Amino acid sequence: MRAGRGMAAAVLLLLGGLLAGCQVAVPGSAGVSAADRQTAERRAEQRAAVDAALTTLGQAPAVALKATIKGAEQQIRVTRGGTALGGVPLDGGVVQVAAVGGQFYLQADAEYWKAHAIDEGTQFGTSWVRSLGSELPLDPAARFAPAALADGLRKALPGLDRLGEPVKAKLADGTEVYQLGAAPSVLRVTAAKPSRVVSFAPVLLDPQAGPKYGAEFQVAPLAGDALKAFHTDLDTAVGALGQPFEGLVQASAVVTNDKLDCKDFVGSCTTTVDVSTSVVGSPASGEKSVVHINLSVEVSADSLGAQTCTTAADAEPYATIKMSCTVKFKLPNKTASYQVLSKPNATAEVRAALDANAVKQKVAAEFAALGG
């Protein structure tokens, strides 16, 4: 009986082993579908195109960024070193920009300056103003230079990545492009090699400040004749800067020691005054500036009426200079004496001391290194 029970136990153990063996899982998977593989391949092609396009952009000697504002095309061109020239769309308007010789200049209408609490808006609206790139939402010379622009767009890529099939579109000229992201955050690069950046939304560079520059910039690299034309236009622009206003400094002028000297039997009266200047603020980047003084003198005499003369001069900040202004009355043909009064008034504005030839030399050295 013991032997029988032993046999039965052995058989039961064997059966138990067979039953347990039937429950062993075989590792493996159902596999990736052909459609999924094709999507993955096309996404890899898109990533390669975008990477190549941004690399090419970052290595460009210069780029042109174009935007359409109120039906008119505006263009700003920027070199690898941050030298820039052109119109920047801003809040539906346009601000002209010139970044040369390490200095930043802009030109805008009086409304722009008034919106920035600058009382001299009317004067600024007629001239270039030396300021800082940070005056604008994004410093165009710093953020739009090829390498910086490529880096900024590359940092925005994670927010544009969408799972699934890459989106392609055709431009008006038939160029096929990859379209990453969705409005208003869109980046477009060519699908065919050599890959290049076609356009981008400024919001990609800065979600807060970028939209102030509009919806989209078209991108074109500059080399060869286009780069040489850029150099020529910069030289012309530097020559036209004149004596720009200082946007970060304000000046005042005080008239003292006014002296009136009238010539008998001639009718001419000369007012000589001392004008003292003072300033508030510091010039952009610590560059030298001068105080431009406008002197106006109203001279009046009994029965002869009033005459006004004007003159201008430049002075150092916190300096006192002498200025003179002369009027001439038409005297009647008789002997008489007249009581003459003089009312001088001086205003001051700070101007940048710009050496245009020195700036052009710096620009020439930069473009020689770029091949333009």
Side-chain angles (χ1 to χ4, degrees), residues 49-50 53 175-178 188-198:
V50 172
T175 302
E176 189 175 47
V177 297
Y178 287 113
R188 295 184 178 91
V189 303
T190 55
K193 296 180 180 180
S195 300
R196 63 180 180 85
V197 176
V198 173

Side-chain angles (χ1 to χ4, degrees), residues 81-100:
T83 295
L85 178 68
V88 179
L90 183 61
D91 292 333
V94 178
V95 172
Q96 298 297 322
V97 169
V100 286

Side-chain angles (χ1 to χ4, degrees), residues 1 107 158 193 248-249 309 361:
M1 293 298 291
Q107 188 179 51
K193 296 180 180 180
L248 304 179
V249 189
C309 62
Q361 289 176 5

Side-chain angles (χ1 to χ4, degrees), residues 2 7 17 49 98 102 156 187 209 245 260 295 313 354:
R2 292 179 187 175
M7 284 288 292
L187 171 67
F245 287 92
L260 179 63
L295 176 66
L354 175 66

Side-chain angles (χ1 to χ4, degrees), residues 275-352:
V275 181
S276 300
T277 66
S278 61
V279 299
V280 176
S282 300
S285 301
E287 292 294 312
K288 185 178 180 180
S289 61
V290 296
V291 179
H292 186 74
I293 303 169
N294 293 299
L295 176 66
S296 174
V297 182
E298 180 186 289
V299 183
S300 60
D302 295 339
S303 75
L304 295 180
Q307 299 282 346
T308 300
C309 62
T310 60
T311 188
D314 289 338
E316 295 289 331
Y318 303 104
T320 299
I321 63 171
K322 284 192 178 297
M323 299 180 70
S324 297
C325 193
T326 301
V327 301
K328 188 171 184 178
F329 293 100
K330 185 177 180 179
L331 299 178
N333 189 19
K334 64 177 183 178
T335 301
S337 62
Y338 304 94
Q339 181 71 31
V340 183
L341 297 177
S342 175
K343 296 180 180 179
N345 180 62
T347 60
E349 57 201 27
V350 186
R351 300 277 189 148

